[in-house]
Amino acid sequence: MARDVFIVKAVRTPVAKAGTPKRRGTLEFVRPDDLIALTIQGLLERVPNLPTDAIDDVVIGSAFPEAEQGFNIGRIAALRAGLPVTTTGQTVNRFCASGLQAIIAANDAIAMGRCGVAIAGGVESMTRIPMAGHQPFLNPALAGAHSATYISMGMTAENVAREYQISREDQDAFAVESHRRAIAAQRENRFVDETLPINLNRVVYENGRAVERSLSLITDEGPRADTSFESLAKLKPAFTTTGSVTAGNASQISDGAAAVLLASEDAVKTHNLTPLARILSFATTGNDPALMGVAPIDAIPKALNLAGLSSSDLGVIEINEAFASQSVAIIRTLGLNPTIVNPNGGAIALGHPLGCTGARIFTTALHEAHRISARYFGVGMCIGGGQGAFAVAERLG
Ligand SMILES: CC(C)(COP(=O)(O)OP(=O)(O)OC[C@H]1O[C@@H](n2cnc3c(N)ncnc32)[C@H](O)[C@@H]1OP(=O)(O)O)[C@@H](O)C(=O)NCCC(=O)NCCS
C-alpha cells in the first residue's frame, strides 16, 4: 500500500553560463559536489524545524557522473553538506531527466515506506565535465542497428526540424520568446523565492601569489534582453553548415544545481512541515535516438493518463527547451497551450545544466503553480539516446 508523499521545499542555484575555451564561467571554480552540497545546505536552512538526522537518503541526478561529479555524488553531497553519516546517498542517471528521475526515486522510496524524509535533486558542471564525459568509449556494436545513439544532440534537433517541418524562423521566434519571458520573469522577481544566491570566496593565483577573490551569482546569467529575431537570424548553424539549429535557438551549456525536500505524511506531522505539492504520476517513453527531442510526445499523454488528467487540466507546463525545434514540434503535435508552456522562459534563455535541469524545472514549475494558484502542473523533457519523461503534480496549500 503506497503512502502519501509530500514535496515540502524546492530550491535551485542561479544557472551560470558554462566556461568554454572562448570564455570563463562564473562557477568554473566551484566543484559540482560543492555546488550541490551548498544547495542542500540552502534547502535545509529554509526548513529550520527539520533535524538533519531525520533525513534518510540523498538522491542526486547527474548526466555525466564522473570526475568531480563522480564517486557517487549523492553520498559525497550528503557528507559535504554536513549531514550525519547515517544519511545515505545515491546517484541517478537518466541524462537530461536525471534531476527529475531523482525526485521520482525519492518519492517512490517514501511511498513504499523505505524512508521517511529524502532530499532529491540534480547537479551538472558542464564547465568541468563536458557532454560525453572526459573519456567516452562508444560501443561499436551499436553502429549498425542504432547508429544514431551517440550522434550530437544538435543533429537530432536538425532531424526533428526536418521531419516535423519546423523552419528556422519558427525556431528563432520560439527562442526570442524564451528570452523575452525569462527577462520579464527576472524583472518581476519571479525567481527570487526559488533561487539561492551564491556568494563565495575563492583563492586564485595571480603573478605567483595566492589572492582571495569573491564570487557572487545572484540571478541566471543566460537571458539576454538584446535577443531579437534579427540578431538570431544572423547566427550560423552550429552543427551542420546547411542546418537551422544555432547557438541562439539551442539550449545553452551551463552549470547549476537544484534540490527538493520530500517527506512522508508522518514526517510532515512530526516535524511540522508544510506540504507544497505531491506527485500524481510519472512516465517515460522511448523512441528513435535520431529523433530523441520528440519523445515527450508519447511521455506527456502517458503520464496524464496515469494521473487521470488531460493537458487542459494543467495550469503550468515545463518542457525542457533542449532545442527550439523539438519544443515547437511537441507543442504543435500535442496541441498544448503555448502560453502555459515555460511561462518564465526555458533552457534556451536560462541554460540547461543537464543533470540539474529536471530538478530545476520542477522547482520553477512548483513556484509558478503557487504564484498563479494553478492546481496541477507538469514537468518533462526529452532525453539523449531517445527517451522522454513527464511528471504530473498537484499544488497543495
Ligand atoms: C550551440 C552551442 C554549440 C553554442 O555554443 P557556443 O558557441 O559556446 O555559444 P555562445 O553562447 O558562445 O554563442 C555563440 C554566438 O551566438 C551568439 N548568441 C547566442 N545566443 C544569442 C542571443 N540570444 N542573441 C544574440 N546572439 C546570441 C553569441 O553572442 C555568440 O556570438 P559570438 O560568437 O559573436 O560571440 C552550445 O550552446 C550547445 O552545444 N548547445 C546544445 C547543448 C546540448 O546539446 N544539450 C543537451 C540537449 S539534449
Side-chain angles (χ1 to χ4, degrees), residues 30-380:
V30 184
R31 295 172 55 111
D33 44 8
D34 285 343
L35 191 64
I36 184 66
L38 275 175
T39 310
I40 290 171
Q41 286 171 337
L43 175 79
L44 293 176
E45 277 166 19
R46 295 178 181 207
V47 197
N49 34 340
L50 181 73
T52 52
D53 62 4
I55 301 161
D56 296 306
D57 204 13
V58 172
V59 191
I60 300 301
S62 167
F64 290 95
E66 61 175 67
E68 303 98 314
Q69 265 162 211
F71 283 96
N72 182 8
I73 193 165
R75 176 65 172 168
I76 301 291
L79 294 174
R80 187 72 180 87
L83 299 184
V85 291
T86 46
T87 301
T88 55
Q90 61 170 305
T91 305
V92 165
N93 185 1
R94 201 191 278 276
F95 270 179
C96 299
S98 300
L100 180 61
Q101 188 69 52
I103 296 170
I104 298 302
N107 185 81
D108 293 355
I110 296 172
M112 288 298 120
R114 294 198 299 276
C115 65
V117 180
I119 291 171
V123 64
E124 202 82 25
S125 171
M126 297 179 79
T127 303
R128 285 173 174 249
I129 297 98
M131 262 194 295
H134 286 295
Q135 201 171 8
F137 288 102
L138 312 187
N139 190 331
L142 285 173
H146 299 292
S147 58
T149 307
Y150 299 121
I151 64 172
S152 94
M153 294 298 101
M155 287 310 295
T156 70
E158 292 287 0
N159 293 341
V160 167
R162 211 173 38 251
E163 195 90 5
Y164 285 76
Q165 296 174 2
I166 314 294
S167 68
R168 167 76 185 263
E169 291 70 28
D170 290 338
Q171 294 173 57
D172 286 352
F174 184 86
V176 170
E177 180 62 9
S178 180
H179 281 271
R180 191 196 66 73
R181 291 181 184 195
I183 292 285
Q186 287 183 329
R187 288 188 178 146
E188 291 167 25
N189 293 324
R190 289 193 194 175
F191 295 132
V192 168
D193 286 348
E194 68 188 60
T195 308
L196 289 171
I198 305 280
N199 290 299
L200 288 174
N201 287 333
R202 61 184 167 83
V203 174
V204 294
Y205 286 92
E206 284 175 5
N207 303 323
R209 295 176 58 193
V211 187
E212 195 166 82
R213 292 260 180 259
S214 60
L215 178 166
S216 181
L217 182 65
I218 311 295
T219 55
D220 303 306
E221 288 184 327
R224 287 179 56 162
D226 67 343
T227 304
S228 66
F229 192 77
E230 293 69 31
S231 64
L232 294 192
K234 290 186 189 134
L235 300 178
K236 291 195 168 61
F239 300 96
T240 166
T241 49
T242 55
S244 57
V245 179
T246 71
N249 61 38
S251 59
Q252 302 174 28
I253 53 172
S254 315
D255 302 335
V260 172
L261 186 69
L262 300 97
S264 67
E265 191 170 13
D266 284 351
V268 163
K269 284 188 187 136
T270 305
H271 304 295
N272 195 21
L273 305 172
T274 307
L276 297 178
R278 65 188 182 111
I279 291 167
L280 302 180
S281 70
F282 175 68
T284 55
T285 51
N287 75 339
D288 177 358
L291 295 170
M292 71 91 205
V294 292
I297 289 173
D298 298 321
I300 293 171
K302 188 174 173 186
L304 284 167
N305 281 341
L306 288 170
L309 297 173
S310 74
S311 62
S312 59
D313 293 314
L314 303 177
V316 184
I317 304 175
E318 283 281 335
I319 303 175
N320 185 42
E321 294 171 0
F323 299 93
S325 66
Q326 53 83 216
S327 303
V328 174
I330 294 167
I331 292 167
R332 280 192 191 160
T333 307
L334 293 179
L336 301 176
N337 173 359
T339 58
I340 65 159
V341 178
N342 306 349
N344 297 314
I348 290 171
L350 292 161
H352 176 20
L354 309 173
C356 158
T357 287
R360 199 287 288 169
I361 62 177
F362 186 89
T363 299
T364 300
L366 171 70
H367 283 83
E368 180 67 6
H370 275 267
R371 193 182 72 81
I372 65 167
S373 299
R375 178 160 182 198
Y376 298 114
F377 59 98
V379 177

